[in-house]
Amino acid sequence: MPTAALPTKIEVQNLNVFYRAEKKAETQALKDVALEIRDREVLALIGPSGCGKSTFLRVLNRMNDTVPGARVEGRVLLEGEDVLAKGYDVVGLRRRVGMVFQRPQPFPKSIFDNVAFGVRAHGLTDKNEIVRRVESALGRAALWDEVKDRLEASALSLSGGQAQRLCIARALAVEPEVLLMDEPTSALDPIATARLEELIHELRADLTIVIVTHSMQQAARVSQRTGFFYMGNLIEVGPTKQMFTRPRENKTEDYISGRFG
Amino acid sequence: MSATSPSRNRPAPVPVPESEPEPDREHTPTGAFRTVEWRRSPPAWHRVAEIAIKVTALTAIVAIALIFVFIALESLPLFTSKLVHQEVTFAKMWLRQAWDGPGWAWQPTSGVPKFSILPLLIGSLKITVVSVAVGAPLGILAAIFTSQIAPRWLREILKPTIELLAGIPSVVIGVFALLVMATWFQRAFGFEHRLNALVAGCALSLTIIPLVFTLAEDALSSVPKSFADASLALGATRMYTIVNVIVPAALPGIAAGVVLGFGRAIGETMIVVMASGNAALVNWSLGTSTRTITATIAQEMAEVVHGSPHYVVLFVLGATLLLFAFATNLVAQRIVDRFRRKRGGT
Ligand SMILES: Nc1ncnc2c1ncn2[C@@H]1O[C@H](COP(=O)(O)OP(=O)(O)OP(=O)(O)O)[C@@H](O)[C@H]1O
Ligand SMILES: [Mg+2]
């Protein structure tokens, strides 16, 4: 296995996440999850709805901080440093660990300004550099040809698939080391989906990618390793091929053979 | 499908042969009944309610139209009546006159009655601009702080407290301005007149702040959380997100609040009667006594002889105020529309 040689990028240890919704008792969304994410691999996360995949993803770049009532325990080591530690630079973390949400959320600004948003937020003011970053990000997200003549048009005029690629370009423009994608193709047609998967293959050259997906086929196509979540537990994680041919756990087998979920 | 589908007259359940299970029907046994209910025409009280709503709406529109007609009719003699023309004409109200003293003056009861609208218009604008310039930023900043920065417990105190300001009777604010604020300002700036445009404007801003605050706070809190999340996930700071994502998205609501505040300020009477000093001077100084259109109408209408030139001019003042309010609202509507269009696609 060539993947075994890759160094560790993120190491998650004893991760527990709790939610408290308005005066009700706390519910545990993740239970003692331990997982290692390797440098420049594509890790797919699968599992039935509500099992905690999105929660896990949001912990990795501390977007769970924005959820009122959420509590996180454990350690998430990004290149050895605990990102959950008190006083950790969250803004800096999110620059290194980018995120693409399930539903594309372009800002009501021009296409150019959308892609330049993160770069500008980081304080970059050099016009030429901004233009270079925007163009390269749009190119990498396979959107450049479709929008190069209308960069000043509103991003809200894009189709769903284009908007999703715009959000990917927006995340890429800040040149993150890790990209978290939460069901990025759930709103896309088969052609746009195929393109996005192709894009993931290309991005792997310089990025670590964690992708949540409900499509087993997609996980099999794009990832080197796959993790299976079930009711807040990480049941199994391993090389994708092995997961889909001879899973170690019965639950995994039941799930991938469509017996529930 | 016609209304006489078989499910309508359904005397007894149709026996379903066991060899042919119908999973849909099985799980929703009431499905058939529901279709029947949908087809029935709406009950009679729907009609009654509809008519009642129409009548009420029409009454409101007619009432407003009648106000317009009334003011127009009472103002008309300025252009038609010989009697009125002996003392004042439309042109005389606006143009410089060769009086002794200032060329524009409001002295309706002197030997030579002087009916210049200019000092009053300037007075109204001075005080309104001060009140919006002070009240709008305070209201907007308070709204941003309350909806975006304050922790939840503080928000739950701040929001009702600021909104409570709107319930303070304007006469109370007037007394406060007259007795307390005027003294403070006098001590701080040493103006020529104790009661002046600045005192009245600042007092007036107390009525604008809750208005701007409420609308801005609403607009800011209804910006979807996903916008803010998308920005934060790109490594933007909280502050950068507020300034570059949340506030722009809420701009139409904020603008509407400011415009309503402007309309409220230009029409407000009690506070300016009490706190402005009421001298009709022509200058742009904030430190001198000031008389507004509204204060003039309020103070003089009761004593004026019905149908006299003075009476007619007061109505013309009212009409002018109405036009101003109308024009600002129109402009504001345009601005808000443009924002909206910019936000939606091209
Ligand atoms: N903001 C929240 N407040 C309270 N509970 C939450 C919140 N977000 C998620 N949860 C709960 O945490 C659990 C895991 O949710 P999560 O969104 O991580 O699931 P998921 O695996 O991403 O599901 P899906 O595949 O449907 O997206 C669920 O039981 C959910 O109800
Ligand atoms: Mg999810």
Side-chain angles (χ1 to χ4, degrees), chain A residues 66 94-95 105 109 122 156, chain B residues 226-227 232 234-235 244 343:
Chain A
T66 71
R94 291 177 186 151
R95 288 173 192 182
Q105 192 59 262
K109 302 172 185 290
H122 301 184
L156 302 184
Chain B
S226 52
F227 272 154
L232 292 172
L234 287 168
N244 290 284
R343 287 176 70 203

Side-chain angles (χ1 to χ4, degrees), chain A residues 22 46 61 78 105 148 219 233:
Chain A
E22 288 283 323
I46 59 171
N61 70 345
L78 173 62
Q105 192 59 262
K148 63 170 183 258
N233 293 300

Side-chain angles (χ1 to χ4, degrees), chain B residues 113-332:
Chain B
K114 297 167 186 167
F115 292 111
S116 275
I117 195 173
L118 217 62
L120 308 181
L121 203 55
I122 289 175
S124 275
L125 285 181
K126 265 203 301 199
I127 291 179
T128 305
V129 167
V130 169
S131 68
V132 174
V134 173
L138 284 179
I140 293 169
L141 288 177
I144 292 174
F145 178 78
T146 307
S147 70
Q148 305 298 325
I149 300 169
R152 191 194 267 172
W153 63 267
L154 187 57
R155 173 163 62 232
E156 270 158 24
I157 298 171
L158 276 177
K159 198 164 134 65
T161 308
I162 297 177
E163 284 171 1
L164 209 66
L165 260 182
I168 299 179
S170 51
V171 68
V172 174
I173 295 178
V175 169
F176 176 69
L178 185 71
L179 299 180
V180 184
M181 284 174 70
T183 309
W184 289 348
F185 280 56
Q186 186 69 9
R187 237 180 256 151
F189 303 108
F191 285 135
E192 202 179 334
H193 301 127
R194 186 169 173 280
L195 297 179
N196 53 49
L198 192 67
V199 172
C202 289
L204 207 49
S205 71
L206 291 178
T207 67
I208 297 179
I209 288 170
L211 201 71
V212 174
F213 172 84
T214 306
L215 273 114
E217 208 272 342
D218 261 7
L220 287 164
S221 356
S222 55
V223 174
K225 181 174 179 291
S226 52
F227 272 154
D229 281 354
S231 168
L232 292 172
L234 287 168
T237 60
R238 183 83 207 145
M239 212 56 213
Y240 191 91
T241 303
I242 291 171
V243 172
N244 290 284
V245 176
I246 297 173
V247 170
L251 219 45
I254 295 174
V258 173
V259 168
L260 278 180
F262 191 88
R264 170 86 211 267
I266 206 167
E268 165 60 45
T269 310
M270 185 49 79
I271 294 173
V272 291
V273 167
M274 296 175 77
S276 68
N278 289 311
L281 307 176
V282 181
N283 65 41
W284 288 105
S285 156
L286 298 180
T288 58
S289 183
T290 303
R291 190 180 186 86
T292 66
I293 294 179
T294 51
T296 304
I297 297 175
Q299 288 168 296
E300 297 176 11
M301 191 58 97
E303 296 153 15
V304 83
V305 180
H306 186 97
S308 68
H310 188 186
Y311 174 90
V312 172
V313 168
L314 287 182
F315 268 93
V316 174
L317 289 184
T320 313
L321 201 61
L322 210 61
L323 283 180
F324 249 82
F326 208 67
T328 46
N329 265 334
L330 218 63
V331 170

